Amino acid sequence: MFTSVLMIEKALTSADVEFVTTLHGDESVSFHVLLQPRGDQADRLLRAIDDVALGELDEAVREGGTPEGEEAMSVGQRALEVSLAALHAAGSEATGRLVQDHPLDALRSLVEESGADEVIVLTDPHYVEEFFHRDWASRARHKVGVPVLKLFSHSKA
C-alpha cells in the first residue's frame, strides 16, 4: 500500500478527493491528513494580497472575518472530519489531525512515524509565500526526505 501525507488548510472538495485518490492509478493509498486552519497560518495582509492577485476582491475585503484562534480550530475540526469521511467514501484508508503550531515540524514527524512515501500539499494558491519560497511545499522539500507534490484545490469548500 502506498502511504501519502496530505497537508490541507480547508475541507477537501469532491474534485480534490477524486484527484488525490486517483494519482496512483489502481494502487491502494493510505492517507494521513494534516490540517492547519487558514486563520492560523498567515496574517490577514498576506491572505488579502493573495485574494487580490487572484482577482477575488470580495474575498480580500472579507479577510477580517476569517476565523482565528479557537474559532479557527473548531472550523478546522469540522473540515478535517468532512475530509476524512470523503476519503473513506472514496475507498481510501485515512487518519488525520489538526495542526496548531509548527506545521512543518508536525509534517516531518508524521512522515517519519508513518513511513510515508510522499507528501501532497493541497492548498489554494498563496502567491506571496510561493514567490519567496515560503509556502508549505517549498519549505517541506528541505525537511521531509520524501517527494513533495504541490497541488492547488479545485474549488471553494
Side-chain angles (χ1 to χ4, degrees):
M1 179 172 291
F2 201 83
T3 303
S4 294
V5 173
L6 180 60
M7 284 193 75
I8 60 176
E9 61 188 0
K10 64 181 183 178
L12 295 173
T13 65
S14 58
D16 293 333
V17 170
E18 181 179 351
F19 194 42
V20 298
T21 58
T22 60
L23 281 173
H24 299 288
D26 293 333
E27 188 171 358
S28 49
V29 180
S30 171
F31 290 97
H32 297 276
V33 180
L34 287 178
L35 185 143
Q36 184 181 33
R38 186 173 185 204
D40 283 352
Q41 73 191 13
D43 69 344
R44 290 180 183 150
L45 177 61
L46 288 177
R47 293 191 317 254
I49 291 169
D50 285 337
D51 290 335
V52 170
L54 289 169
E56 297 174 353
L57 300 179
D58 291 341
E59 289 296 318
V61 171
R62 285 194 283 271
E63 281 302 338
T66 299
E68 303 280 339
E70 286 301 314
E71 186 182 355
M73 294 309 290
S74 174
V75 170
Q77 184 61 44
R78 286 192 304 275
L80 180 61
E81 291 166 4
V82 165
S83 298
L84 293 175
L87 289 167
H88 290 142
S92 295
E93 290 182 19
T95 61
R97 63 177 98 152
L98 287 180
V99 178
Q100 294 181 6
D101 297 313
H102 311 293
L104 294 174
D105 292 339
L107 175 65
R108 182 178 53 217
S109 295
L110 184 55
V111 166
E112 291 170 1
E113 286 170 26
S114 65
D117 298 298
E118 70 180 356
V119 169
I120 300 171
V121 176
L122 181 71
T123 65
D124 288 333
H126 298 292
Y127 293 117
V128 174
E129 289 97 337
E130 290 167 25
F131 180 78
F132 292 106
H133 302 285
R134 301 302 302 156
D135 59 299
W136 283 344
S138 296
R139 292 173 27 207
R141 287 185 179 104
H142 303 287
K143 282 195 162 231
V144 297
V146 297
V148 176
L149 178 62
K150 180 179 183 174
L151 302 173
F152 292 121
S153 297
H154 281 77
S155 61
K156 301 274 183 208

